[in-house]
Structure formats: structure tokens, C-alpha cells
Amino acid sequence: MAQAADTARTIILTVDDDPGVSRSVARDLRRRYGAGYRVVRSECGESALDALRELKLRGDAVAVILADYRMPRMNGIEFLEQALDIYPGARRVLLTAYADTDAAIDAINVVDLDHYLLKPWDPPEEKLYPVLDDLLEAWRTSEHRPVFTTKVVGHRWSARSSDVREFLARNQVPYRWYSSDEPEGRRLLSAAGEDGLRLPLVVTPDGTALVEPEDRDLAAHVGLATTPAADFYDLVIIGGGPAGLGAAVYGASEGLRTVLVERSATGGQAGQSSRIENYLGFPDGVSGAQLTDRARRQAAKFGAEILTAREVTGLEVNGAARVVRFSDGSAIAAHAVILATGVSYRELDAPGVADLTGCGVFYGSALTEATACQNHDVYIVGGANSAGQAAMYLARGAKSVTLVVRGESLSASMSHYLVQQVTDAPTISVRTNTVVEAAHGAHQLERLTLRDTTTGHSELIDAQWMFVFIGAAPLTDWLGDTVLRDSRGFILTGPDLTPDGRPPADWELDRPPYHLETNVPGVFVAGDARAESAKRVASAVGEGAMAVMLVHRYLEQS
């Protein structure tokens, strides 16, 4: 018999547009699992998505979703793809006819399908229940266990409130947002003994109230690991973007005692992308959050330790050990280190921008703000892929989206497929040869001054939302003089360490540095922080795997 769930709020959801089939599925599910799970059924994808969103807000857990493939307006694959964004940990089953098996096989790549069932499934004891038993057991033993929802109370135009929401969202921590001036927000503030002058207030699942929490304190209270389990490892990976996660998967899976240290949230800039469409194996695209979540779970499955909200401030060489120091003065050591620190968005140097950051001005996609942008005019500064992806995502609900581009065209810095999508989108316009001269507003963004660089003409426009993507700077200042970098701060490796391609003068080993190795033996670089890197998700993941291969070579020769 099926094992009872830990909570009666755990859901099995089924959606089928045929009322008879829908009732049959629900009947069979309740007969087997009704004692431990709540079975929810719907007869169209749209209403099922509404139900999932409501369940998410209430803090209910969804263990399995069964969807019929042939539904009007939204087929089962399209529904599961959107459901994946709401409940990424739910197991996914597609109900198909024999003629649709090719579509079901394709869905394995599109929505990471767990199983497909052919209709009819009689008898359920042979064709339905064994499949569901396995999927429910897999869900129970995964990281996506039922949890009570974290609550965040803050002011709509508060930079720190925005930062907390983004931190929780990017770390896959479910939360519910309450404005400080709405009844429930005021009730939570009163219960915590606060008058609303200090925000945000975060109420954790165990009822702990945190006022204006720092990221590390917040991470520790919502179940994210912040303290290393050991003092010494085979491999320390600094940075949790695609390169770091790729290195963690390959390092841990090949038997290295591996710890990944991330200062904010796994995924890096790629994790903030609304849709990545040129990554191998995902022909219909994948969101950065989905890709990050899968990679993080994969690394954890192989035994990699992942620390969040830990800032690294120094790297030291102590004999054969490589010592990584944290901002609180503590340290861990390892045989080898992979630097996968990535890059951060460059700040827009214009009057008023710094004061309004988080209050209408955002760096990166800030996807937690997307719903608030609906029916508003949105401005995106930048002309590369990240700006184009954000424009396409925000255009779904915004009244209009304007790309503000310094250059003469998008084609110089944006992929061809994305240029075509932006050009064809009816609500997206592009202003080339244009820069933001100033941002204006008392407590939130209200207006922008845009200047045409060809004519010199400036224009004052109304604006409440501006997202900035104007290039990136490497996060490497903390390395000091320990590791060689180029004039822009990117880390030099292998033959690029010296102009003539020979090892540096202080290189102590008989062999030359490996391709991804720095001037410090045993310290490697992967991803965007490396000088002359490709700045693509696929290449970052590949470099993470390659760096682990070179770590093995280094360890064998040490």
C-alpha cells in the first residue's frame, strides 16, 4: 500500500479536458492514495495553473502532477512546462494515447518528464499504482519536502525588501510577500512587536521573526547551509554559477570531497535569466531558475556540500594546502581550488540611479518584480543577450518595453535568434544611440532623462521601472596579488599568464601551468571570471568539468 504523506496538505494534481477521464483518474488516485494525500483535479490547463498558484501561496506541497497530452488551447507539455516554474520538485506524468508516444518522448527533454502513461491504464494495480508509488517515494526522499511558507513583510519601494525577496526566490525558498500597509502585513508586524519602522520583517517557517536580516542570518534560518562540515577538502569551488555547479557535479561524482561556496545564490547571472534558448538539449528553452535548480540538486545528489551566503575574502598558499578565508575570519583548506566567481553587472553611472536602486531601478532581471510591472511602461538598458531575454519575459505583461541601447544596433552584441524575437514583438521598441543621463524620483523612480548620442538632444520621460544590463565586471578584487589578473580584473591562466606563453618567473613546478590553471599551482579558473572566456552558459559548464579533470592531474602529480 502507498505510504501516508507527512502532511494532509500534500497534493496529487490531475488535469484532463475529458470529464469522464478526469473523474476516472481522480477516482483511482483517491482509492489508492486518498488516506495520505489530497487529490485535486482540473479539466483544463489554465484552471490547473491557477490551482497550482493558489496552492503555492497557501504553502501546500505538490508531489505529483498528471496531465493529459491532448488538451485544447494548452496541451499537456505546455502545461507541465509552466507548472515546472511553480513546483519544480513535483514529479511529472504525461497521459497519452498510443499515437502520441513520440510527443511523450520529446517531453522528457522539454519538461524533464518523469514518466508517461498510455491510456487506458486498466487495471490500475498493474499500470498506474506501481508508477505512482515509485514517483511518490522519489519525491519523499528528495529535497522538495513539504515546508511551511516563509513570510516577508516590507515596503513596496524598499531596496532591502526587494533584495530579501530576490535572495529567497533565487535560492528556491518559498515565501509569501505582504506589504506593510495591508491588513495581514500589519497583523504580522504587530505579532512580532514591530511598528513598521524597521523593514523588512521575515517570519521563518518555525515562527522566528527576523527584522532587517542580513543574508547569512536569513539563509541559516530558512534551511540553507552556511557552515562547512569539515576544515579540509579535496576541492573548494568558489562561486555557484554554471561553471561552479558544473565543477561541483563532476568533482563530487568522481569521488572528490567537494564544497561549493556561494556568496548569494546558486545560478549566478544565468540563474536570473527568464529564458535560455541556445543551451544544448533544451530546444524549447529553459529558465535560469530551472537549470540552476536541477544542477544544484544533481551536485547534492553526488555528495557535494553547498554553502550559501558566505563571502570569500582571501586565498592563501600554506605549503600543499590552499586556504580560503571568509569575511567572518574563519577559513577552510583544500588540496585544490576552482575559482568560478563569475561577474557582476556594472553599475550605471548617472545622477539619481544609485539612490533609486531597488526602488524602481534594478540590476539584472529581478524576476520577483515582474508581476508588479504588468500594464506599466518598462525600460531596459543594454543591448546584449541578457537584456533581450529580460525584454521578452517582461513584455508578456508590461504595457510596453523599451530597450535603451548605446550602440547603433542590437546585432553587434545580441544573438541573431534573439534579435529576431525582439524585433517581432509588438510591445517592444528599441532606442539605439541612446543613454540614460539621469534618474529622478523622491522615494521611487518617477522619470528618466534619455539623451540621443548622435544629436545630443535630451528628453525627460515618465518611468517607474528600469532594469540595467550594461556589461559585467569580474568579482576578483578579493584575490589581491595572490593570483595574476589582466587590466580589467579577469584571471589569467595557462599560456596567457605571460606575453610569450611561458610559465611565470616564480612558477615552481617542472611542468607548465595547465590550460585553466593560474600562476598558483592547484588553483584553477572556470567560467566568466577567466580572461578571454566565451561568456556563455554551455562553455562555463564545460570549463567547470574540464577544471575538475585538471584538478585530478594536479593531485596525481602532487
Side-chain angles (χ1 to χ4, degrees):
M1 281 294 294
Q3 181 179 342
D6 294 337
T7 171
R9 294 199 303 176
T10 303
I11 310 297
I12 299 174
L13 183 140
T14 174
V15 52
D16 195 306
D17 66 300
D18 185 326
V21 174
S22 178
R23 286 191 293 270
S24 296
V25 175
R27 180 199 63 220
D28 289 343
L29 292 175
R30 290 190 179 107
R31 186 169 62 189
R32 174 77 167 186
Y33 306 104
Y37 297 85
R38 184 155 65 93
V39 177
V40 175
R41 74 180 183 92
S42 178
E43 294 182 2
C44 72
E46 291 85 350
S47 64
L49 289 173
D50 289 339
L52 286 174
R53 295 186 187 102
E54 183 178 348
L55 293 169
K56 187 75 170 180
L57 289 175
R58 292 207 315 246
D60 295 345
V62 175
V64 177
I65 301 173
L66 300 93
D68 181 57
Y69 172 63
R70 291 197 178 189
M71 293 189 293
R73 297 193 303 274
M74 179 186 298
N75 67 38
I77 297 176
E78 293 168 339
F79 162 75
L80 288 173
E81 188 174 13
Q82 295 189 50
L84 189 63
D85 287 327
I86 305 172
Y87 279 97
R91 296 315 194 222
R92 295 166 292 281
V93 179
L94 193 67
L95 303 176
T96 69
Y98 182 81
D100 299 325
T101 53
D102 287 342
I105 293 170
D106 290 341
I108 294 174
N109 282 331
V110 177
V111 295
D112 199 16
L113 193 69
D114 293 294
H115 207 281
Y116 66 90
L117 288 172
L118 294 178
K119 297 189 294 185
W121 54 85
D122 289 327
E125 290 77 8
E126 295 179 12
K127 298 183 179 180
L128 177 64
Y129 297 153
V131 172
L132 266 292
D133 286 346
D134 289 342
L135 292 179
L136 289 168
E137 178 60 25
W139 179 83
R140 280 192 296 267
T141 57
S142 73
E143 294 181 79
H144 295 275
R145 301 303 303 277
V147 295
F148 296 105
T149 304
T150 296
K151 300 176 179 65
V152 181
V153 182
H155 190 275
R156 181 69 197 84
W157 299 110
S158 160
R160 184 55 189 156
S161 295
S162 177
D163 289 344
V164 165
R165 294 170 65 197
E166 193 76 4
F167 177 85
L168 294 173
R170 292 187 60 199
N171 279 291
Q172 306 293 317
V173 177
Y175 73 92
R176 187 165 184 177
W177 162 260
Y178 300 93
S179 175
S180 58
D181 58 5
E182 67 177 279
E184 183 62 20
R186 290 195 295 268
R187 282 192 287 269
L188 289 169
L189 286 169
S190 176
E194 291 293 322
D195 55 11
L197 296 178
R198 298 190 303 159
L199 294 173
L201 166 72
V202 178
V203 182
T204 63
D206 63 1
T208 302
L210 306 173
V211 181
E212 298 180 314
E214 297 297 325
D215 284 354
R216 185 178 175 187
D217 192 31
L218 179 59
H221 278 86
V222 297
L224 301 174
T226 60
T227 304
D231 296 325
F232 196 92
Y233 296 83
D234 293 323
L235 174 62
V236 173
I237 302 164
I238 304 174
L245 288 169
V249 167
Y250 283 94
S253 66
E254 293 172 10
L256 296 178
R257 291 170 299 166
T258 301
V259 60
L260 183 151
V261 182
E262 168 55 46
R263 70 189 183 107
S264 178
T266 52
Q269 286 190 336
Q272 295 177 280
S273 176
S274 56
R275 181 66 56 179
I276 302 170
E277 297 194 65
N278 57 353
Y279 188 68
L280 186 66
F282 293 88
D284 295 312
V286 61
S287 74
Q290 290 174 3
L291 190 63
T292 297
D293 180 60
R294 295 177 188 181
R296 185 186 57 79
R297 287 190 285 121
Q298 192 173 16
K301 181 186 77 171
F302 287 120
E305 189 179 336
I306 299 177
L307 305 181
T308 304
R310 292 304 300 264
E311 183 177 4
V312 177
T313 57
L315 176 65
E316 301 171 6
V317 177
N318 187 3
R322 304 295 178 257
V323 180
V324 174
R325 295 209 171 273
F326 298 118
S327 57
D328 63 357
S330 63
I332 55 176
H335 293 299
V337 172
I338 295 177
L339 304 174
T341 52
V343 293
S344 63
Y345 289 111
R346 294 188 186 276
E347 295 184 0
L348 180 60
D349 186 16
V353 170
D355 293 338
L356 294 171
T357 298
C359 303
V361 176
F362 303 93
Y363 288 90
S365 296
L367 297 182
T368 53
E369 305 295 334
T371 54
C373 294
Q374 291 193 1
N375 300 316
H376 286 260
D377 297 316
V378 176
Y379 290 82
I380 296 176
V381 184
N385 277 9
S386 54
Q389 290 162 353
M392 293 301 301
Y393 180 77
L394 293 171
R396 298 176 184 177
K399 179 181 178 183
S400 71
V401 175
T402 302
L403 275 166
V404 180
V405 183
R406 178 185 291 270
E408 295 183 355
S409 70
L410 292 175
S411 57
S413 54
M414 189 178 293
S415 294
H416 177 68
Y417 82 90
L418 199 50
V419 173
Q420 289 182 313
Q421 290 182 4
V422 168
T423 302
D424 294 340
T427 57
I428 299 178
S429 60
V430 181
R431 293 184 61 155
T432 57
N433 299 310
T434 304
V435 296
V436 175
E437 201 167 51
H440 314 275
H443 304 291
Q444 66 189 72
L445 179 65
E446 297 173 0
R447 291 176 299 279
L448 292 172
T449 299
L450 303 182
R451 178 169 58 85
D452 188 312
T453 58
T454 57
T455 64
H457 174 70
S458 295
E459 178 186 0
L460 185 65
I461 60 171
D462 292 330
Q464 282 189 299
W465 303 95
M466 180 173 72
F467 298 86
V468 182
F469 304 82
I470 55 170
L475 297 167
T476 59
D477 289 345
W478 60 275
L479 289 167
D481 297 328
T482 304
V483 174
L484 291 178
R485 295 172 290 154
D486 66 14
S487 59
R488 298 178 298 162
F490 291 94
I491 302 171
L492 298 168
T493 62
D496 295 327
L497 284 165
T498 58
D500 59 7
R502 297 182 180 182
D506 58 352
W507 183 258
E508 300 176 353
L509 303 183
D510 294 335
R511 63 168 178 81
Y514 294 130
H515 180 65
L516 298 180
E517 194 170 22
T518 69
N519 60 298
V520 180
V523 176
F524 300 83
V525 186
D528 291 357
R530 184 178 66 83
E532 305 302 325
S533 63
K535 308 295 187 293
R536 289 290 186 269
V537 175
S539 62
V541 173
E543 286 190 8
M546 182 178 177
V548 171
M549 179 190 71
L550 298 177
V551 165
H552 279 292
R553 288 188 188 176
Y554 169 77
L555 295 177
E556 290 167 358
Q557 296 175 6
S558 299

